[in-house]
Amino acid sequence: MANTSARMLRLLSLLQTHRYWPGLELADRLAVSERTLRRDIDRLRELGYPVHANRGASGGYQLRSGTAMPPLLLDDEEAVAIAVGLRTAAGGTVEGIEETSLRALTKVVQVMPPHLRRRVDALQAYTVTAPPDGPQVDATTLTVIAQACRDDERLIFTYATPSGEPATRQVEPHRLVSLGRRWYLVAWDLDRADWRVFRLDRLTGPAATGARFRPRDLPAADAAAFIADRLGSRPTRHDITVLIHTPASAVEPVVAVTGGRCEPVDDHSCHLRLQVDAFDWPVLILAAVGAEFDVIHPPEFRQHLRDVGKLFLRAGTA
């Protein structure tokens, strides 16, 4: 029975790669006969795993999606990655997913062996994540749009322009992108016959129309690069330059998702350049970097830091 159980776990691990396995190759991997393989496949089906089979000399097996969620078999790295992802999601920018993420995290950690649980606890204890201060996006909105991207299906939704006027838009969705504090949709706008970037916090009521389309070639290396180029071309209220007294290698990971530029000055300092509409986000970035700095430009940002510093100093001495 022990050999059978171990073989079943090995079989499940192979099938969960979601590739199609020819029967002979799968039997060879498990060092069993095709007859034994068929019995093991039947046992998995009894446990709720929907294994599809193609009969015949060139037949094989593939794990398909079913009507219920069967247990998953994860290796150590996959289990840690899921736990870390769930902890991040619990405090992220997707509205309504926090409680669900915590429930799922509890189940994952509960069955983890002690050595994996220690790794996850260490990541939580020694990692600092700046609290999201940007707009949250409804989880249903994300899933509807993601499925439309996957299925090459046109979307219709209401979109609020920067002036606040709502308008109905019909698009061919390309990709969802999480950048900085916001979610964006890159799509071909059918009414304007051009590529557009839509902020998801301004988008309501997305619905798939049922009309399929042939994907177009995006005029950029990828969706993230396209958004960065579009956002960079938009005018912003403030251009900020800060001299940070720490190597650029220590600053780059913090500002990688902000659209800012980090330019080395020497081995011990670097310039951070940000284009923003408000000063609040740069304050959080500098706090996350945690190094001494000097404001080069503009003087208004220097005054803003003085005002914020007075608030924190007052709270610290109260």
Side-chain angles (χ1 to χ4, degrees), residues 76-274:
D76 286 3
E77 299 303 323
E78 291 169 339
V80 171
I82 286 177
V84 172
L86 288 171
R87 278 192 168 150
T88 302
T93 57
V94 182
E95 183 180 2
I97 205 172
E98 299 92 341
E99 184 179 348
T100 306
S101 299
L102 288 173
R103 288 203 311 268
L105 176 62
T106 300
K107 294 178 182 178
V108 172
V109 173
Q110 186 176 11
V111 298
M112 274 185 169
H115 72 281
L116 291 186
R117 198 176 304 167
R118 285 194 295 270
R119 288 174 61 182
V120 174
D121 289 341
L123 279 169
Q124 181 187 31
Y126 293 97
T127 302
V128 177
T129 303
D133 64 340
Q136 287 192 317
V137 175
D138 179 67
T140 302
T141 296
L142 280 175
T143 55
V144 168
I145 296 175
Q147 289 175 4
C149 291
R150 180 198 63 191
D151 298 336
D152 298 331
E153 189 172 355
R154 288 178 178 174
L155 272 175
I156 188 169
F157 52 81
T158 300
Y159 193 71
T161 63
S163 62
E165 293 294 326
T168 300
R169 309 293 280 268
Q170 187 169 192
V171 304
E172 296 175 354
H174 179 72
R175 288 291 186 276
L176 282 169
V177 178
S178 175
L179 183 63
R181 300 169 293 166
R182 294 188 173 93
W183 283 90
Y184 299 90
L185 167 66
V186 176
W188 176 266
D189 192 315
L190 292 168
D191 295 327
R192 289 153 181 80
D194 195 10
W195 290 98
R196 289 290 190 269
V197 175
F198 300 95
R199 276 177 45 177
L200 262 63
D201 57 291
R202 293 178 178 170
L203 184 156
T204 56
T209 65
R212 298 298 180 91
F213 64 89
R214 179 176 294 180
R216 305 171 189 265
D217 292 330
L218 185 70
D222 54 46
F226 180 80
I227 289 179
D229 179 68
R230 286 296 177 96
L231 296 182
S233 64
R234 295 178 182 177
T236 52
R237 292 178 58 194
H238 307 290
D239 290 327
I240 296 176
T241 302
V242 178
L243 176 64
I244 303 181
H245 301 288
T246 195
S249 59
V251 179
E252 287 170 347
V254 180
V255 302
V257 298
T258 66
R261 290 182 291 124
C262 185
E263 302 168 353
V265 174
D266 52 40
D267 292 342
H268 307 289
S269 62
C270 61
H271 279 132
L272 174 61
R273 305 185 191 278
L274 298 165

Side-chain angles (χ1 to χ4, degrees), residues 36-68:
T36 300
L37 174 61
R38 286 194 295 271
R39 286 202 301 265
D40 289 347
I41 292 292
D42 288 338
R43 292 190 183 99
L44 286 180
R45 288 170 175 159
E46 292 172 359
L47 293 172
Y49 293 94
V51 183
H52 176 75
N54 285 333
R55 303 296 182 184
S58 60
Y61 303 93
Q62 187 173 24
L63 189 65
R64 300 287 180 85
S65 58
T67 58

Side-chain angles (χ1 to χ4, degrees), residues 282-298:
V283 172
L284 291 176
I285 295 172
L286 292 170
V289 170
E292 293 186 359
F293 61 90
D294 298 307
V295 176
I296 305 300
H297 181 80

